[in-house]
Amino acid sequence: MAPPSYRHASVLLDGAVDALVHDPGGVYLDGTFGRGGHSRAILSRLNDAGRLIAIDRDPQAETEAQRLADTRFSFLRGEFAQLDDIASRQGLFGKLSGILLDIGVSSPQLDDPLRGFSFLRDGPLDMRMDPDQGESAADWLARAREQDIVRVFKSYGEERFAKRLARAIVARRTERPFTRTLDLAEVVKAAHPAWEKHKHPATRVFQALRIHVNGELEQLDAALEAALEALAPGGHLVVISFHSLEDRRVKRFIREHVRGDSHLPRGMPIRDDQLERRLESLGKARRPAGDEVERNPRARSAVLRVARKRK
């Protein structure tokens, strides 16, 4: 039986594609195909000479991409951290007109209980974007030391009560391991001493586990560096992030390459000719308009940043 279909509304769709496609005959890369919303919009802006390559590590994204019948489009299963290698294999290293990165988990991944991302729907405690690779959240929680759980909750969830919640998890797992999402959510809920208004008490814990299991921040750092190398001079880098941990990294990366001091020790006195200014920022960060947030509440935290590789 085919898996159920879960709807996905691409966030900042028009703004992202407007910023990305500056040459309708260029070659573009969508580093996070998801369910294809951005890719389809990009293709609608390209002429017959244009081309789009999409990447995703999720096998369900690959299934969706196979439905996109367009000779200008190709899909490659993989991680966007490897986009420079992918561009090289396609003979496009340093030749891409634009790269789009839509960071984080997609709505279909959240909505499908079998993927294990949601604290609102019961399912296996998995959380891997690629279920064929790596360690599930359940497996990691079963073996992780308490101090490592604390570190992950603090670093990736910015959870104030990381120690208390980690202690509760470790105490419970001695009775039986965590294998289901709602089981973990209920333990966190019971142990959390200060619920935030309009936010489930397990929100930060699930975010932290997902980021850790998928290596999301390390993937993002690698993808930004790879994108800078894979872009052609004048090519556009467009990044959509959904929480401050991601956006701070994107903002810092763009700022350092705009200033040209990313390769130098902080505080070192330097001459202007020692700077390597490789990017130009194209405007301020953008956020979804009120009507988009009303249609899609998950868009409320999205931030769009755009830069151009210097010629």
Side-chain angles (χ1 to χ4, degrees):
M1 180 181 294
S5 176
Y6 295 93
R7 293 185 61 191
H8 176 65
S10 296
V11 174
L12 290 162
L13 180 64
D14 291 334
V17 176
D18 288 345
L20 181 74
V21 182
H22 57 99
D23 173 12
V27 183
Y28 296 86
L29 187 144
D30 181 353
T32 45
F33 179 80
R35 297 303 179 266
H38 285 116
S39 281
R40 289 181 175 87
I42 294 166
L43 287 166
S44 73
R45 309 288 183 91
L46 301 183
N47 61 29
D48 291 343
R51 182 179 169 194
L52 174 65
I53 301 167
I55 304 170
D56 207 297
R57 52 176 161 169
D58 188 332
Q60 293 181 2
E62 182 175 26
T63 299
E64 184 66 31
Q66 290 169 353
R67 300 190 179 105
L68 209 168
D70 191 313
T71 57
R72 302 169 299 168
F73 173 78
S74 58
F75 177 88
L76 296 168
R77 174 104 176 263
E79 300 173 344
F80 63 26
Q82 302 167 341
L83 65 86
D84 53 346
D85 292 334
I86 290 170
S88 293
R89 293 199 301 270
Q90 299 288 309
L92 295 169
F93 186 78
K95 299 178 182 179
L96 292 171
S97 302
I99 296 172
L100 171 65
L101 301 175
D102 183 4
I103 311 302
V105 66
S106 69
S107 291
Q109 288 169 329
L110 282 172
D111 293 338
D112 183 355
L114 295 178
R115 302 303 300 273
F117 288 103
S118 177
F119 45 77
L120 298 176
R121 297 172 174 84
D122 191 39
L125 186 60
D126 194 310
M127 296 195 188
R128 289 173 295 175
M129 292 184 179
D130 182 351
D132 300 327
Q133 299 289 331
E135 186 176 39
S136 71
D139 289 342
W140 184 76
L141 276 182
R143 67 164 183 82
R145 298 179 302 169
E146 183 174 324
Q147 58 263 44
D148 291 330
I149 298 174
V150 172
R151 175 185 55 79
V152 165
F153 289 177
K154 279 186 175 179
S155 300
Y156 299 149
E158 299 179 299
E159 174 55 71
R160 287 189 299 151
F161 302 101
K163 288 184 179 180
R164 182 192 292 251
L165 301 181
R167 193 180 311 124
I169 287 169
V170 170
R172 213 313 294 278
R173 79 182 181 188
T174 61
E175 302 170 12
R176 67 182 189 279
F178 290 96
T179 61
R180 308 291 296 182
T181 53
L182 288 189
D183 182 23
L184 175 62
E186 287 301 315
V187 170
V188 172
K189 185 177 177 181
H192 205 295
W195 297 9
E196 297 176 62
K197 191 174 183 180
H198 305 308
K199 181 176 285 189
H200 192 288
T203 299
R204 295 179 183 275
V205 163
F206 271 64
Q207 172 186 298
L209 283 172
R210 189 202 83 220
I211 291 173
H212 173 70
V213 164
N214 294 290
E216 290 180 35
L217 298 184
E218 295 83 1
Q219 286 271 325
L220 174 58
D221 289 342
L224 292 171
E225 294 290 349
L228 185 57
E229 301 304 325
L231 281 169
H236 289 194
L237 173 64
V238 178
V239 186
I240 303 170
S241 56
F242 285 85
H243 57 73
S244 59
L245 291 174
E246 299 165 343
D247 185 53
R248 284 198 295 265
R249 276 172 149 78
V250 177
K251 181 180 180 180
R252 182 175 65 243
F253 176 83
I254 293 175
R255 183 182 65 234
E256 290 178 350
H257 285 285
V258 166
R259 292 191 314 218
D261 57 3
S262 62
H263 64 296
L264 298 169
R266 292 188 183 279
M268 174 182 283
I270 52 175
R271 302 187 309 272
D272 193 65
D273 62 359
Q274 292 177 292
L275 298 173
E276 295 182 13
R277 296 188 176 100
R278 303 190 67 192
L279 288 175
E280 301 170 83
S281 178
L282 297 183
K284 296 181 179 180
R286 306 173 212 175
R287 295 183 179 273
D291 57 344
E292 180 174 1
V293 174
E294 188 174 341
R295 293 192 308 271
N296 180 16
R298 287 175 179 161
R300 65 185 177 275
S301 60
V303 180
L304 172 69
R305 295 188 185 274
V306 185
R308 176 169 55 214
K309 186 173 178 178
R310 286 180 177 271
K311 296 181 179 180

